[in-house]
Amino acid sequence: SLLIILLLVTFLGLSLFSFDENDINRSGVLSNYCGVCGDFTASHLVRFLGFSSFSIILYFLVFAFELAIKKEFKHPKVKFFSYIILVLLTSTILQSYSYKIHFLGIDFKSGGAVGIYSSDLIQKYFSKTGGYLILIHLFLIFLILSAEISFIKTIKMLFSITLSFFNAVKTKLIILKGKYVRNQERESDLQKLGWGKNKKEVIIHSKEAEKRE
């Protein structure tokens, strides 16, 4: 199975990196390294997934590396499904970020037809910012699933990090609030002594009081 994956990666890599959009309507010799099959595969991948087609090679390489190390997976169906969703999410994220990407002398649509449709749909209902947040969260979830990391442990770790962050912010706000309250009390005390309500006057009288002391 590892050999099959490596052969597939090689085929996809050669097909995509030698892709020429003019080959689709050209008769005669094709410039694609994998001939008619390579041109057919690359043209359809680029049409549907755009530049994100190249991410398939990356995901297959990661899959092959993991297979070489682990030999087998606990949940192969979940892992394979997660990689498919990751490709689709990559297409949508890239298309949301930029309409076209110039690579190898060709202007690729970032996410192809899939990316255009899905990004427009998400932005229609969740706006651009909300869409980014949803896509990033989904990407992280399926990345965790594809890596076969314990989902519960990951959630606990993320919750712990988030809680620590909010506790740090809370502590900082309490310190700032304490300083603000003390300053207000000091100004209030000075005003009660008849040194005026004007802030500048309060500061001047405060400095004069410090000198006398």
Side-chain angles (χ1 to χ4, degrees):
S1 56
L2 179 60
L3 182 61
I4 294 172
I5 293 172
L6 290 175
L7 288 172
L8 185 59
V9 168
T10 303
F11 172 75
L12 288 174
L14 290 172
S15 300
L16 286 169
F17 279 99
S18 62
F19 171 73
D20 184 352
E21 54 189 347
N22 295 319
D23 280 346
I24 300 172
N25 300 316
R26 184 188 297 167
S27 58
V29 180
L30 297 175
S31 61
N32 196 289
Y33 293 151
C34 295
V36 177
C37 291
D39 179 68
F40 178 83
T41 303
S43 61
H44 280 77
L45 284 174
V46 170
R47 182 179 301 171
F48 287 105
L49 296 172
F51 180 77
S52 63
S53 301
F54 290 92
S55 69
I56 299 174
I57 301 171
L58 176 63
Y59 292 132
F60 266 124
L61 285 173
V62 172
F63 185 79
F65 178 74
E66 289 180 328
L67 188 62
I69 295 175
K70 296 181 179 180
K71 303 298 180 183
E72 60 180 17
F73 302 108
K74 295 179 181 178
H75 307 287
K77 291 181 180 179
V78 174
K79 193 174 187 69
F80 183 73
F81 176 75
S82 298
Y83 276 124
I84 293 174
I85 299 298
L86 283 173
V87 171
L88 297 177
L89 286 170
T90 303
S91 169
T92 308
I93 291 170
L94 286 177
Q95 189 63 45
S96 299
Y97 177 74
S98 175
Y99 186 76
K100 285 187 178 181
I101 293 177
H102 187 77
F103 184 65
L104 298 175
I106 301 173
D107 287 327
F108 291 94
K109 288 182 180 177
S110 300
V114 173
I116 292 171
Y117 176 77
S118 56
S119 62
D120 287 346
L121 187 66
I122 289 175
Q123 290 180 27
K124 179 181 178 181
Y125 291 102
F126 299 101
S127 79
K128 193 167 186 177
T129 304
Y132 272 130
L133 291 172
I134 291 170
L135 289 170
I136 290 170
H137 278 81
L138 287 173
F139 188 88
L140 290 174
I141 288 169
F142 282 100
L143 188 65
I144 291 168
L145 290 174
S146 67
E148 293 188 332
I149 300 172
S150 174
F151 193 75
I152 296 174
K153 287 182 179 179
T154 304
I155 293 296
K156 286 182 178 179
M157 182 184 69
L158 291 174
F159 179 76
S160 177
I161 293 171
T162 305
L163 190 63
S164 299
F165 172 76
F166 280 111
N167 284 335
V169 172
K170 183 180 178 181
T171 304
K172 186 68 176 178
L173 289 174
I174 291 171
I175 294 170
L176 292 174
K177 184 180 178 181
K179 288 181 179 179
Y180 176 78
V181 170
R182 285 194 296 272
N183 288 334
Q184 290 295 313
E185 289 176 349
R186 184 180 181 185
E187 289 183 8
S188 178
D189 292 339
L190 290 173
Q191 288 175 6
K192 287 178 181 179
L193 292 173
W195 288 345
K197 297 180 181 180
N198 187 284
K199 188 175 181 180
K200 290 183 179 179
E201 292 180 9
V202 171
I203 294 171
I204 292 169
H205 286 298
S206 176
K207 288 181 178 179
E208 289 178 354
E210 287 177 359
K211 287 179 181 179
R212 286 197 296 270
E213 290 175 358

